[in-house]
Amino acid sequence: PLADPVLELHDSSGDIIATNDNWPDNTDADRQMLIDRGFDPRNNLESAIIITLDPGLYTAVVSGKDGGTGVALVEIYDLDDPAVPGELGNLSTRGVVGTDANVLIGGVIVGPEDLDAAVVMRAIGPSLTDFGVTGALADPVLELRNSDGDVIAMNDNWETDPEPDNYSAEVIPAGLAPSDPSESAIYANLVAGLYTAIVSGKDATTGVGLVEVYHVATQ
């Protein structure tokens, strides 16, 4: 694991709008909010930012202090009351996709308890090359698992995979069709609960991949 993570929050122009190294360095009020909500990290070297954001695109960047490296987890939680009109609509995470335990993992919580959601999950690889990413994963495979770890949907190539959980007819109207036929997508109506998207490389290939979750209007 990454020994001492540093967290930065960037706006759509790339400017840093917040940063934190050790979460106890937050203000007294923010520290107490983290504790009261149960989101206080268990190690003082871990990082946390509390911030109210205008609508738009944002990027959380995790690095290791003093050039440290290792496995890390970046998380985002919506602390607003569910009645507030604004909501978290998408989360995308880029990372190195390895094999076995070193695959790329994205978790999502659907809720509160009485609210279900339609989502599109994507595994992106080859098209990252168009954005200057080197070593992109050539053929990503996407699995969706429930809180028991059971695979409830799987997709390899979003256009042609014969699995019934492909739902390409739903992905295209949502405007979320991947740009490369080797990339993967799953459309799912999920009941409230915990889910995990797992990205691996076909035939144990490795490279840089992107896992994405979009909240979409019910079709």
Side-chain angles (χ1 to χ4, degrees):
L2 185 63
D4 191 350
V6 177
L7 179 62
E8 294 177 352
L9 182 62
H10 296 242
D11 63 16
S12 58
S13 66
D15 294 334
I16 298 176
I17 58 175
T19 185
N20 179 256
D21 179 7
N22 303 322
W23 79 270
D25 293 339
N26 278 280
T27 65
D28 291 344
D30 284 351
R31 282 200 308 273
Q32 193 59 49
M33 181 178 290
L34 288 166
I35 294 169
D36 291 344
R37 299 297 185 97
F39 295 139
D40 49 314
R42 296 298 180 259
N43 190 298
N44 286 345
L45 295 178
E46 294 172 332
S47 306
I49 292 170
I50 294 180
I51 191 169
T52 299
L53 298 174
D54 294 327
L57 307 177
Y58 298 89
T59 303
V61 178
V62 179
S63 60
K65 190 171 184 178
D66 298 327
T69 61
V71 178
L73 182 69
V74 59
E75 303 173 310
I76 182 169
Y77 296 92
D78 186 348
L79 301 184
D80 280 329
D81 186 284
V84 174
E87 63 179 23
L88 182 63
N90 158 248
L91 179 63
S92 303
T93 303
R94 190 187 77 181
V96 176
V97 179
T99 59
D100 300 323
N102 297 315
V103 294
L104 181 60
I105 300 173
V108 61
I109 301 171
V110 175
E113 294 180 359
D114 58 343
L115 293 178
D116 303 338
V119 302
V120 169
M121 295 186 173
R122 309 198 312 179
I124 304 299
S127 60
L128 294 178
T129 303
D130 298 335
F131 299 93
V133 176
T134 58
L137 185 65
D139 191 351
V141 177
L142 178 62
E143 290 181 353
L144 174 60
R145 295 176 181 255
N146 62 18
S147 58
D148 294 323
D150 300 325
V151 178
I152 58 175
M154 177 183 289
N155 181 254
D156 180 7
N157 302 326
W158 76 274
E159 289 181 302
T160 59
D161 196 317
E163 291 293 327
D165 291 314
N166 183 14
Y167 297 121
S168 62
E170 305 287 356
V171 174
I172 294 173
L176 297 173
S179 59
D180 190 287
S182 296
E183 294 170 335
S184 306
I186 293 171
Y187 174 89
N189 286 295
L190 301 178
V191 298
L194 309 178
Y195 298 90
T196 304
I198 298 178
V199 180
S200 59
K202 190 171 184 178
D203 298 327
T205 52
T206 61
V208 178
L210 186 71
V211 60
E212 302 179 306
V213 181
Y214 292 89
H215 182 203
V216 298
T218 304
Q219 305 294 313

